[in-house]
Amino acid sequence: MLRLIFSLSALAAGLASSGAFAAPSADGPHGVRPAEGGVLMLAQEGNIDIYYDARGNRVLVDADTGKVIAIQPPGSRLDRRALRRQRMQELGRAPAEDDDRYYLDNPEDMARFRRRQLEENGRVIPPPVDEYDPNSGDNSVDAYPPAPNNDEGYATTYPGEPNSNTIKRQPLNEASIDPEQPGQGEVLQTNPEASLPPNTGGKASVDPSLSLGVRQDVAALQVLLDRGGASPGVIDGRFGSNVDKALAAYNEINGTNLKSTDAVGIQAALAQSGGDAFASYTIMPEDVAGPYVASIPEDYSQKAELDCMCYTSVTEALAERFHMDETYLKSINKGVDFNRPGTMIKVANFGKLVSTPVTRIVADKTKKEVYAYDGSGKLVAAYPATIGSADTPSPTGIHAVSRIALDPNYTYNPNINFKQGQNDKILTVPPGPNGPVGSVWIALDKPTYGIHGTPDPSKIGKTESHGCVRLTNWDARELAKLVSPGVTVEFVGGPTIAEVGGTSTDELTQQ
């Protein structure tokens, strides 16, 4: 009897122990159970860590307890896309073709995702093909052809930068400037084929940092031409017809054959003619003092009410003094306060002015250029010019200089000149560089005609005049110092007044 009781007690304890161990595997929070098809399913969703061992096995670890839940060899991993499609089919819903998921931990999914992106963007990249054959031909480096030389127009060699330490500058006679300091100013390099800035009514109001088509080497060439007596007009770092004409005149004046692409020759000529193309200038108190006017009105009756046709800013005054475009001056002196005396700025080092007396002037209406010759017939100076227009052409034939006036006033006479707006009375516009004839008037023996300056130097050679010869203020002032009454002025090329039946519309009275 005692033996029977002991046996029953042992059997009950075994059953209880078996139930205790079976419960966690069926209902416990961290247990796993085999699913249909031998697939291992987790009772707890997602709260696991996945690792890969050195053999490529996928190890699932319980994130809470740190115990290994399962180990999946590489060939037995779950095809989650197939399971998802199967589940969708069991629910009676077929997955859409583009409703596909990609898993970041599956290299095949990532490769498929990248291929799909390339296909959607129209960029199908074929797999690389190994064309190397160890048994065919010569695969040494010498077997490959050399790189092409300069057949495609690309430069492979460039001239070295000249040593500026040996350059000695010559003093200027218009302003006191010093050799350019290292790091002084910054020239804007932009695409020369870009579109031009918007029209701002003549005066530069575009942000200097937006200047387009500007090149420092072109500006250096312009400085050299200016030094050699062949004015390029404004120094603005841009190629154009004025630079082309000035280069041809420079070669004639100096007996050279310089080309715009000869960087070494340009630098050598700069070194011989005065040094670096740019120099430093310190803004003086008188530069800031003016006088200046707020703006220049377009209406002649309003111009006549001003005290002077002065500059409108320090930058405009300094740009003209150093033969520069105002916007270009600002662009190479970014962040500079031009209204503060003592400020050092970067300016064009244009050198000495022409000093050889002129006995003959030729105004070429077709080329839009004025040529000045000395007594021996040698060309000594050339200037880009605006010479008349189709409606109001300049005269033809040979004339002579009758008088010279610096800083003249301008007489507007609607009975002789053009009529502007409602202005039907004679008006006297005060003198100044921004006057209708600029700061110089070289009168000819033919009434109402002359050679004069302009308030818009950047437009010289690119616009039309009312019949006279228009130069930049600094070119007109230089020419005025070289001529005297009686010097002949010959007009060549272009239409004549008789051919169009026009008259000059420039009328000037010296103050």
Side-chain angles (χ1 to χ4, degrees):
M1 186 66 179
L2 182 59
R3 182 179 299 177
L4 177 61
I5 294 173
F6 180 82
S7 300
L8 292 175
S9 300
L11 178 61
L15 292 174
S17 175
S18 175
F21 284 105
S25 67
D27 303 320
H30 306 298
V32 297
R33 62 181 178 83
E36 296 180 2
V39 178
L40 187 65
M41 301 294 291
L42 298 179
Q44 174 177 304
E45 291 188 10
N47 195 16
I48 61 172
D49 292 331
I50 301 175
Y51 302 92
Y52 293 87
D53 61 16
R55 298 181 179 179
N57 295 321
R58 188 179 185 185
V59 182
L60 280 66
V61 179
D62 191 309
D64 296 327
T65 64
K67 294 182 178 180
V68 176
I69 298 175
I71 299 177
Q72 298 176 339
S76 63
R77 295 177 188 168
L78 301 179
D79 188 347
R80 287 171 287 190
R81 289 183 284 106
L83 292 175
R84 183 170 178 272
R85 291 192 181 94
Q86 181 181 357
R87 179 61 177 167
M88 296 288 287
Q89 291 175 356
E90 293 175 357
L91 297 176
R93 294 185 292 128
E97 291 296 331
D98 59 348
D99 186 20
D100 206 353
R101 296 186 180 182
Y102 304 91
Y103 297 91
L104 298 178
D105 59 344
N106 191 330
E108 295 180 359
D109 274 9
M110 290 296 95
R112 187 167 52 86
F113 175 70
R114 287 192 294 270
R115 285 196 302 271
R116 182 169 181 177
Q117 279 187 324
L118 293 174
E119 292 173 356
E120 291 176 353
N121 295 331
R123 297 171 53 200
V124 180
I125 302 177
V129 178
D130 187 4
E131 298 178 353
Y132 172 74
D133 185 0
N135 300 320
S136 65
D138 182 8
N139 292 290
S140 64
V141 175
D142 296 335
Y144 292 92
N149 293 327
N150 202 17
D151 297 335
E152 298 299 328
Y154 298 99
T156 57
T157 60
Y158 303 91
E161 181 180 2
N163 185 2
S164 60
N165 294 331
T166 60
I167 295 175
K168 296 182 179 180
R169 295 182 55 258
Q170 297 178 0
L172 305 181
N173 62 354
E174 277 204 7
S176 175
I177 61 178
D178 302 318
E180 179 186 355
Q181 301 297 322
Q184 175 69 25
E186 176 185 358
V187 177
L188 179 65
Q189 298 289 346
T190 59
N191 181 11
E193 297 181 357
S195 58
L196 294 176
N199 184 4
T200 57
K203 296 297 182 181
S205 60
V206 181
D207 185 345
S209 64
L210 301 180
S211 299
L212 303 174
V214 176
R215 290 173 49 182
Q216 186 173 10
D217 59 336
V218 177
L221 173 61
Q222 291 174 319
V223 170
L224 174 63
L225 299 176
D226 204 0
R227 290 180 185 177
S231 172
V234 292
I235 296 172
D236 58 2
R238 301 174 187 271
F239 270 123
S241 60
N242 287 348
V243 174
D244 294 336
K245 293 182 294 186
L247 182 58
Y250 174 89
N251 286 327
E252 181 178 349
I253 294 171
N254 298 277
T256 59
N257 190 27
L258 186 68
K259 299 183 183 302
S260 61
T261 55
D262 185 4
V264 175
I266 292 172
Q267 291 297 332
L270 283 170
Q272 295 174 0
S273 62
D276 292 340
F278 293 92
S280 297
Y281 172 75
T282 302
I283 297 178
M284 305 301 292
E286 52 268 28
D287 296 328
V288 179
Y292 297 106
V293 295
S295 62
I296 301 295
E298 294 294 332
D299 189 271
Y300 275 39
S301 63
Q302 297 177 4
K303 292 179 188 288
E305 295 177 356
L306 297 177
D307 293 332
C308 70
M309 301 296 291
C310 304
Y311 294 117
T312 59
S313 64
V314 177
T315 54
E316 184 184 24
L318 292 176
E320 287 219 357
R321 180 186 302 181
F322 294 104
H323 305 184
M324 301 174 69
D325 175 71
E326 183 180 0
T327 301
Y328 182 66
L329 175 66
K330 293 178 181 178
S331 72
I332 64 174
N333 293 282
K334 294 180 180 178
V336 170
D337 184 2
F338 289 90
N339 295 312
R340 185 181 65 185
T343 301
M344 184 174 292
I345 61 173
K346 181 179 179 180
V347 296
N349 183 8
F350 59 84
K352 293 184 177 181
L353 301 178
V354 177
S355 58
T356 305
V358 171
T359 61
R360 174 172 169 258
I361 296 174
V362 174
D364 193 319
K365 294 184 281 186
T366 302
K367 293 182 179 180
K368 296 183 178 180
E369 189 86 352
V370 169
Y371 301 96
Y373 299 87
D374 64 7
S376 64
K378 183 182 182 300
L379 181 66
V380 296
Y383 312 101
T386 297
I387 308 175
S389 65
D391 295 331
T392 56
S394 58
T396 188
I398 300 176
H399 299 273
V401 173
S402 61
R403 68 181 187 277
I404 302 165
L406 300 179
D407 298 317
N409 60 15
Y410 176 83
T411 300
Y412 166 78
N413 188 342
N415 299 322
I416 301 177
N417 307 121
F418 62 94
K419 182 178 180 181
Q420 185 201 49
Q422 302 300 319
N423 295 320
D424 54 1
K425 298 180 180 180
I426 297 177
L427 300 171
T428 299
V429 178
N434 275 316
V437 294
S439 58
V440 178
W441 173 257
I442 303 174
L444 302 182
D445 57 5
K446 186 175 180 64
T448 75
Y449 287 95
I451 303 172
H452 59 81
T454 180
D456 298 305
S458 296
K459 294 183 178 181
I460 289 298
K462 304 171 185 178
T463 56
E464 298 178 337
S465 73
H466 296 300
C468 291
V469 179
R470 186 182 299 165
L471 310 176
T472 65
N473 281 334
W474 56 88
D475 286 342
R477 188 172 288 268
E478 178 183 88
L479 182 61
K481 295 179 180 180
L482 304 178
V483 300
S484 58
V487 169
T488 61
V489 180
E490 181 180 1
F491 291 84
V492 298
T496 64
I497 298 176
E499 290 174 343
V500 297
T503 59
S504 169
T505 55
D506 284 330
E507 169 69 16
L508 185 98
T509 303
Q510 184 177 354
Q511 188 176 30

mmCIF file of all heavy atoms in Angstrom, residues 305-321:
data_model
loop_
_atom_site.group_PDB
_atom_site.id
_atom_site.type_symbol
_atom_site.label_atom_id
_atom_site.label_comp_id
_atom_site.label_asym_id
_atom_site.label_seq_id
_atom_site.Cartn_x
_atom_site.Cartn_y
_atom_site.Cartn_z
ATOM 1 N N GLU A 305 17.598 124.226 -64.090
ATOM 2 C CA GLU A 305 17.384 124.739 -62.743
ATOM 3 C C GLU A 305 18.481 124.319 -61.768
ATOM 4 O O GLU A 305 18.554 124.844 -60.659
ATOM 5 C CB GLU A 305 16.026 124.264 -62.220
ATOM 6 C CG GLU A 305 14.845 124.826 -63.007
ATOM 7 C CD GLU A 305 13.519 124.273 -62.516
ATOM 8 O OE1 GLU A 305 13.564 123.403 -61.607
ATOM 9 O OE2 GLU A 305 12.468 124.696 -63.031
ATOM 10 N N LEU A 306 19.325 123.388 -62.149
ATOM 11 C CA LEU A 306 20.394 122.931 -61.262
ATOM 12 C C LEU A 306 21.539 123.935 -61.227
ATOM 13 O O LEU A 306 21.727 124.721 -62.155
ATOM 14 C CB LEU A 306 20.921 121.570 -61.729
ATOM 15 C CG LEU A 306 19.929 120.396 -61.696
ATOM 16 C CD1 LEU A 306 20.589 119.142 -62.262
ATOM 17 C CD2 LEU A 306 19.440 120.144 -60.275
ATOM 18 N N ASP A 307 22.323 123.887 -60.152
ATOM 19 C CA ASP A 307 23.492 124.756 -60.042
ATOM 20 C C ASP A 307 24.631 124.254 -60.918
ATOM 21 O O ASP A 307 25.449 125.044 -61.407
ATOM 22 C CB ASP A 307 23.963 124.828 -58.589
ATOM 23 C CG ASP A 307 22.949 125.532 -57.699
ATOM 24 O OD1 ASP A 307 22.211 126.388 -58.225
ATOM 25 O OD2 ASP A 307 22.896 125.204 -56.497
ATOM 26 N N CYS A 308 24.722 122.957 -61.085
ATOM 27 C CA CYS A 308 25.763 122.372 -61.932
ATOM 28 C C CYS A 308 25.326 120.981 -62.354
ATOM 29 O O CYS A 308 24.479 120.361 -61.711
ATOM 30 C CB CYS A 308 27.111 122.307 -61.201
ATOM 31 S SG CYS A 308 27.159 121.086 -59.873
ATOM 32 N N MET A 309 25.909 120.526 -63.445
ATOM 33 C CA MET A 309 25.669 119.157 -63.900
ATOM 34 C C MET A 309 26.803 118.281 -63.361
ATOM 35 O O MET A 309 27.576 117.692 -64.110
ATOM 36 C CB MET A 309 25.601 119.112 -65.425
ATOM 37 C CG MET A 309 24.511 119.988 -66.025
ATOM 38 S SD MET A 309 22.863 119.417 -65.522
ATOM 39 C CE MET A 309 22.769 117.886 -66.412
ATOM 40 N N CYS A 310 26.889 118.253 -62.041
ATOM 41 C CA CYS A 310 28.011 117.598 -61.372
ATOM 42 C C CYS A 310 27.837 116.079 -61.358
ATOM 43 O O CYS A 310 26.823 115.529 -61.786
ATOM 44 C CB CYS A 310 28.132 118.113 -59.937
ATOM 45 S SG CYS A 310 28.292 119.907 -59.805
ATOM 46 N N TYR A 311 28.868 115.417 -60.837
ATOM 47 C CA TYR A 311 28.765 113.983 -60.608
ATOM 48 C C TYR A 311 27.702 113.717 -59.549
ATOM 49 O O TYR A 311 27.405 114.559 -58.704
ATOM 50 C CB TYR A 311 30.106 113.417 -60.152
ATOM 51 C CG TYR A 311 31.195 113.473 -61.191
ATOM 52 C CD1 TYR A 311 32.351 114.226 -60.981
ATOM 53 C CD2 TYR A 311 31.083 112.757 -62.375
ATOM 54 C CE1 TYR A 311 33.361 114.264 -61.932
ATOM 55 C CE2 TYR A 311 32.093 112.794 -63.334
ATOM 56 C CZ TYR A 311 33.216 113.548 -63.110
ATOM 57 O OH TYR A 311 34.210 113.596 -64.058
ATOM 58 N N THR A 312 27.170 112.505 -59.591
ATOM 59 C CA THR A 312 26.136 112.137 -58.626
ATOM 60 C C THR A 312 26.680 111.318 -57.460
ATOM 61 O O THR A 312 25.959 111.086 -56.494
ATOM 62 C CB THR A 312 25.026 111.319 -59.316
ATOM 63 O OG1 THR A 312 25.599 110.133 -59.889
ATOM 64 C CG2 THR A 312 24.360 112.137 -60.415
ATOM 65 N N SER A 313 27.936 110.873 -57.527
ATOM 66 C CA SER A 313 28.497 110.048 -56.449
ATOM 67 C C SER A 313 30.014 110.072 -56.531
ATOM 68 O O SER A 313 30.612 110.456 -57.558
ATOM 69 C CB SER A 313 27.988 108.604 -56.552
ATOM 70 O OG SER A 313 28.449 107.998 -57.753
ATOM 71 N N VAL A 314 30.638 109.630 -55.453
ATOM 72 C CA VAL A 314 32.098 109.527 -55.425
ATOM 73 C C VAL A 314 32.566 108.476 -56.432
ATOM 74 O O VAL A 314 33.579 108.657 -57.107
ATOM 75 C CB VAL A 314 32.585 109.165 -54.007
ATOM 76 C CG1 VAL A 314 34.100 108.984 -53.981
ATOM 77 C CG2 VAL A 314 32.158 110.238 -53.012
ATOM 78 N N THR A 315 31.824 107.385 -56.538
ATOM 79 C CA THR A 315 32.226 106.314 -57.460
ATOM 80 C C THR A 315 32.181 106.777 -58.912
ATOM 81 O O THR A 315 33.045 106.408 -59.715
ATOM 82 C CB THR A 315 31.331 105.087 -57.279
ATOM 83 O OG1 THR A 315 29.950 105.469 -57.418
ATOM 84 C CG2 THR A 315 31.540 104.459 -55.924
ATOM 85 N N GLU A 316 31.201 107.602 -59.263
ATOM 86 C CA GLU A 316 31.141 108.119 -60.627
ATOM 87 C C GLU A 316 32.333 109.019 -60.920
ATOM 88 O O GLU A 316 32.953 108.932 -61.991
ATOM 89 C CB GLU A 316 29.830 108.878 -60.857
ATOM 90 C CG GLU A 316 29.667 109.346 -62.299
ATOM 91 C CD GLU A 316 28.419 110.183 -62.499
ATOM 92 O OE1 GLU A 316 27.920 110.779 -61.512
ATOM 93 O OE2 GLU A 316 27.945 110.260 -63.653
ATOM 94 N N ALA A 317 32.685 109.869 -59.951
ATOM 95 C CA ALA A 317 33.809 110.782 -60.141
ATOM 96 C C ALA A 317 35.132 110.019 -60.243
ATOM 97 O O ALA A 317 35.963 110.303 -61.114
ATOM 98 C CB ALA A 317 33.868 111.786 -58.989
ATOM 99 N N LEU A 318 35.340 109.039 -59.364
ATOM 100 C CA LEU A 318 36.575 108.276 -59.393
ATOM 101 C C LEU A 318 36.661 107.396 -60.635
ATOM 102 O O LEU A 318 37.752 107.202 -61.192
ATOM 103 C CB LEU A 318 36.689 107.416 -58.132
ATOM 104 C CG LEU A 318 36.896 108.182 -56.818
ATOM 105 C CD1 LEU A 318 36.890 107.222 -55.641
ATOM 106 C CD2 LEU A 318 38.200 108.971 -56.852
ATOM 107 N N ALA A 319 35.537 106.849 -61.072
ATOM 108 C CA ALA A 319 35.550 106.022 -62.282
ATOM 109 C C ALA A 319 36.012 106.834 -63.484
ATOM 110 O O ALA A 319 36.833 106.366 -64.287
ATOM 111 C CB ALA A 319 34.158 105.433 -62.522
ATOM 112 N N GLU A 320 35.527 108.059 -63.635
ATOM 113 C CA GLU A 320 35.957 108.895 -64.753
ATOM 114 C C GLU A 320 37.417 109.308 -64.606
ATOM 115 O O GLU A 320 38.158 109.379 -65.594
ATOM 116 C CB GLU A 320 35.058 110.127 -64.873
ATOM 117 C CG GLU A 320 33.673 109.828 -65.417
ATOM 118 C CD GLU A 320 33.177 110.908 -66.368
ATOM 119 O OE1 GLU A 320 33.886 111.910 -66.553
ATOM 120 O OE2 GLU A 320 32.084 110.730 -66.927
ATOM 121 N N ARG A 321 37.851 109.571 -63.390
ATOM 122 C CA ARG A 321 39.234 109.997 -63.208
ATOM 123 C C ARG A 321 40.208 108.903 -63.644
ATOM 124 O O ARG A 321 41.270 109.184 -64.201
ATOM 125 C CB ARG A 321 39.498 110.351 -61.746
ATOM 126 C CG ARG A 321 40.922 110.809 -61.502
ATOM 127 C CD ARG A 321 41.230 111.030 -60.040
ATOM 128 N NE ARG A 321 40.338 112.009 -59.435
ATOM 129 C CZ ARG A 321 40.429 112.388 -58.154
ATOM 130 N NH1 ARG A 321 41.368 111.859 -57.388
ATOM 131 N NH2 ARG A 321 39.590 113.272 -57.666
#
